Amino acid sequence: MPSATTSPTTLYDKVLRDHIVDEKEDGTVLIYIDRHLVHEVTSPQAFEGLRNANRSVRRPDCTLATTDHNVPTSPRTNFKDVASFVKEADSRTQCVTLEDNVRDFNLTFFGLDDKRQGIVHIIGPEQGFTLPGTTVVCGDSHTSTHGAFGSLAFGIGTSEVEHVLATQTLLSRRSDNMKIQVDGELLPGVGSKDVILHVIGVIGTAGGTGCVIEFCGSAIKSLSMEARMSICNMSIEAGARAGMIAPDQITFEYLKGRPLAPKTDSPEWKRAIAYWSTLKTDEGAKFDKEVYIDARDIAPTVSWGTSPQDVVPITNVVPSPDDFEDPQKKEACKRALEYMGLTSGVPMEDIVVDKVFIGSCTNARIEDLRAAAKIVQGRKIASNIKHAMIVPGSGLVKQQAEQEGLDKIFTDAGFDWREAGCSMCLGMNPDILSPKERCASTSNRNFEGRQGALGRTHLMSPMMAAACALVGKLADVRKVAAASNLTPAKTRPQIEVAEPSVEDMFSDEDLDHILDIPENGHAAAVESSSGAPASGGMATFTQLKGIVAPLERSNVDTDAIIPKQFLKTIKRSGLGTALFHQWRYDSETGQENPDFILNKPPYRDAKVLVVTGPNFGCGSSREHAPWALLDFGIRCIIAPSFGDIFRSNCFKNSMLPLIMDQDAIQKVMVEAEAGREIEVDLPAQVVRTADGTELGKFEVDSFKKHCLVNGLDDIGLTMQMEDKIRRFEQKRTQRYPWLDGTGYLKRTGPVKVEAAPVPTTNRGAVKTEPLEW
Ligand SMILES: CC(C)[C@H](C(=O)O)[C@@H](O)C(=O)O
Ligand code: SF4
């Protein structure tokens, strides 16, 4: 049995173990990626890299692309093509570039004229592309959403997107196991969004750093797949690499009949269910961290500040800096209140709202729209609300909602019913807040400027956002709606789960025997690359000497490092002027803010940044953040801790993100404040003053150090593992045949792998092509 173990194992460790292609002694693992979702913002540079190296996409059948971030949500009735539909030039370029790339690399693509188009994290599950026990990645931090299926799903940067496109694998390290158990029954008016906001309030935005969280307990078990997705979606806001929930009957029921899931009347379905049923944490398995929450302690929850951990029950008042003991938290609270235009002690329910946004990959599924519609049915939005938008997560969600008449309920109440996309979650399209506008939002990030420069975001559930629209203020849904409308209808599907049987599954030994592994390459693999490591693929990093700029902040998110308007490039270079844009320039005059550290001499020439607070680079996976720092001239960042994806993105760009303890950081701060140079010596793993006095030692992963010191391109290195990757794929085909693309790879035997084009991709003159797979 593939999952047979000697010691009790967690869900995460089981899924990880089933995907290891190779493991080094230093703990670096090469993992196979089953599912790769691609969108227009984080892929152009990756495809450019493939072209430059003359590489192709290894598994087009396991890759699915769509446009979501930049797309207008205005009606598509007169849609002709993207080039004429997307008005904003940079957004248009990204959308058109993705269309060119999917055509050139032969990938399946849901464009704007395809009703299956939508936010990547909505369409993956909707199509059955996301399946239990798979590894799922995307150049997007909210890939954690897919963990709701018991898959290991996480966001990656653009360099890693290129790595996956070329090799279908990723270099990674084991994460710690964290358990968050929520037991009991949720109170009326409390939904899964309240659960996750509450959890983040308890553990903080760095609480899950370095971990994969498994959500469990009776409250989680009782949730629908949509609700579970909202929870896993925001694992990234809890700092975790991924969130997972063990698959069960609710999961299997959701997957029945999805186009890319195994057909329910097929033997594969039976085998799949047998495997999926093994995907749970064994009794007695050890977690590195455990958190227990009583469901009855969770109230309808809203955010008040500029970090997703800044949350309170709606019945509370706006907090005060005095409520926090830690000086960094006091300072952060002061800043947040100022930015949000809030006064401590004011009841949250007295805060007047200008706009309402119901959408995003957290809460734009059919169940979210149903919950919101129940609250607004037969009522009107308040007169002070300037704009209330409903943005369905996909064309299929929109269609379903229209069939159920939800669009009518919303438009009758005064809501604007839009087309699918990311929309005002981050405002890369025209849907943005004006400065100082306040928004009740079902999205996941309330960072400064997230929904528009100087815009103010309050995060909440769809029911709560609907209540805010009716009241015109932050509102307690329990006071606004009838009790009967406060609990989403629970479905408790019963389907037959087959017991795993010997015929259903193969052992490793069986497979080694069955497979006659050929000597030469994979038929569907790269056409032209030699597979040799690219020499000089990356700049080397040995010693770095330079000015160090001090930054006394905590939880600096990548939206702050580089705001969304600068993500519309298809290049990696020239982003230095965008670095810390909101802090470096006055948003009204565009002039430099003379108080910001990087605008002052000698820090304009800084090569190192030292940050006193934890969790630098949290949030979005945008590799544009390290690109902007690098272009400015900063190659090393020293901090107490980092966001996981940001840290890994730095290494891919020959930058060094150094974790040091407070003592060493304080010593570096002294040099920084004095405007003196320091030296970072990677081979010796030490930081010194300019005259050679040691300030502190640091740890660094030996493989990453090796790549940096020698300037090695890790795609080239992985391509040398071709034999192991191919062997893994052959076993995968035998063991999990449902994972090879439907109708794509025709396998005539265990070793013959023929590539054939996808018969029904929807691109070009799609109107006539079928919409089903
Ligand atoms: C554009 C993308 C890199 C980003 C992410 O990774 O999260 C976006 O989806 C976001 O929500 O900020
Ligand atoms: S968080 Fe927002 S911008 Fe990012 S993928 Fe989700 S909907 Fe899109």
Side-chain angles (χ1 to χ4, degrees), residues 354-357 381 384-389 414-416 418 424 431:
D354 303 300
K355 288 190 171 167
V356 175
F357 170 65
I381 62 174
N384 63 301
I385 297 290
K386 296 184 202 159
H387 193 192
M389 303 172 89
F415 279 89
D416 190 6
R418 312 288 292 185
M424 210 202 269
D431 308 338

Side-chain angles (χ1 to χ4, degrees), residues 2 47 176 507:
F47 285 112
D176 285 345
S507 71

Side-chain angles (χ1 to χ4, degrees), residues 39 41-42 69 139-142 426 445 450 559 567 620-622:
H39 66 70
V41 181
T42 51
H69 284 70
D140 200 285
S141 53
H142 287 101
L426 95 165
R445 290 182 174 147
R450 171 73 180 179
D559 278 65
L567 308 186
S620 146
S621 66
R622 53 191 76 174

Side-chain angles (χ1 to χ4, degrees), residues 555-578:
N555 295 313
V556 175
D557 56 78
T558 50
D559 278 65
I561 299 175
I562 181 165
K564 68 319 208 62
Q565 63 270 33
F566 302 104
L567 308 186
K568 300 188 184 193
T569 174
I570 57 169
K571 300 275 166 229
R572 292 170 195 250
S573 52
L575 293 173
T577 49

